[in-house]
């Protein structure tokens, strides 16, 4: 089995895809006369670490126009981190802050996109509920579990 060549081929493919994405991002920004930031969290969560990464990206890439478009794809995460991201993006989109949701912005990501002046969504895009999660230790299974307080209320009703 010739693994090194396969790894190199994969790296070249990923690099090629990254270049295409970057070209599309720049074309989108040019067509909208704005800066454009990609916030593609997918199944990973919005966290304080992500806030730090975005802050570094915004400073390093010298975003600084008055208009900012943020393309968001996220299943959610920490509501505090989403709030901090919203405030951070607002600093870079003083005149106009637009969030673009191609597919989904769930939970904390919904809070994030609500901070914009405008939300653009495709016909299949979804926003999700803002239901804070409670984390509690399950003593029988010795593991942490997340649940929504809304579930408790609906069960009791």
């Amino acid at each position: 089995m010739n693994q090194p060549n396969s790894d190199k081929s994969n790296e070249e493919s990923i690099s090629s895809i990254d270049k295409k994405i970057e070209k599309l991002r720049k074309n989108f920004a040019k067509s909208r006369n704005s800066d454009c930031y990609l916030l593609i969290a997918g199944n990973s969560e919005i966290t304080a670490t992500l806030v730090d990464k975005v802050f570094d990206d915004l400073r390093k890439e010298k975003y600084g126009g008055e208009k900012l478009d943020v393309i968001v794809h996220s299943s959610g995460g920490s509501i505090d981190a989403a709030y901090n991201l919203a405030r951070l993006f607002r600093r870079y989109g003083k005149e106009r802050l637009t969030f673009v949701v191609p597919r989904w912005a769930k939970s904390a990501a919904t809070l994030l996109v609500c901070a914009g002046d405008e939300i653009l969504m495709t016909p299949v895009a979804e926003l999700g509920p803002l239901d804070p999660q409670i984390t509690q230790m399950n003593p029988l299974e010795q593991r942490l579990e997340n649940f929504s307080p809304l579930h408790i209320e609906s069960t009791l009703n």
Side-chain angles (χ1 to χ4, degrees), residues 5 16 43-44 51 82 87 95 100 126 136:
N5 286 340
S16 173
N43 289 330
S44 61
V51 175
R87 290 182 45 108
E95 185 180 318
V100 180
E126 301 175 31
Q136 181 176 338

Side-chain angles (χ1 to χ4, degrees), residues 117-137:
D117 299 310
E118 180 179 37
I119 302 171
L120 304 177
M121 299 172 63
T122 66
V124 296
E126 301 175 31
L127 299 179
L130 291 172
D131 58 336
Q133 300 291 304
I134 295 174
T135 303
Q136 181 176 338
M137 177 61 80

Side-chain angles (χ1 to χ4, degrees), residues 38-64:
L38 296 176
L39 184 67
I40 311 297
N43 289 330
S44 61
E45 293 195 1
I46 294 173
T47 62
T49 303
L50 180 64
V51 175
D52 294 340
K53 179 195 176 308
V54 170
F55 181 59
D56 289 344
D57 287 348
L58 291 171
R59 285 185 314 150
K60 185 178 11 174
E61 296 299 320
K62 305 219 183 328
Y63 287 81

Side-chain angles (χ1 to χ4, degrees), residues 65-138:
E66 297 296 309
K67 300 174 187 175
L68 178 64
D69 294 331
V70 181
I71 300 174
V72 177
H73 178 78
S74 172
S75 59
S78 163
I79 203 85
D80 293 325
Y83 174 77
N84 286 323
L85 277 176
R87 290 182 45 108
L88 179 60
F89 285 132
R90 176 56 63 194
R91 288 182 62 197
Y92 288 88
K94 294 174 188 158
E95 185 180 318
R96 183 190 77 219
L97 176 59
T98 301
F99 287 95
V100 180
V101 183
R103 190 63 184 97
W104 71 59
K106 299 288 188 156
S107 194
T110 297
L111 173 75
L112 172 64
V113 302
C114 286
D117 299 310
E118 180 179 37
I119 302 171
L120 304 177
M121 299 172 63
T122 66
V124 296
E126 301 175 31
L127 299 179
L130 291 172
D131 58 336
Q133 300 291 304
I134 295 174
T135 303
Q136 181 176 338
M137 177 61 80
N138 179 329

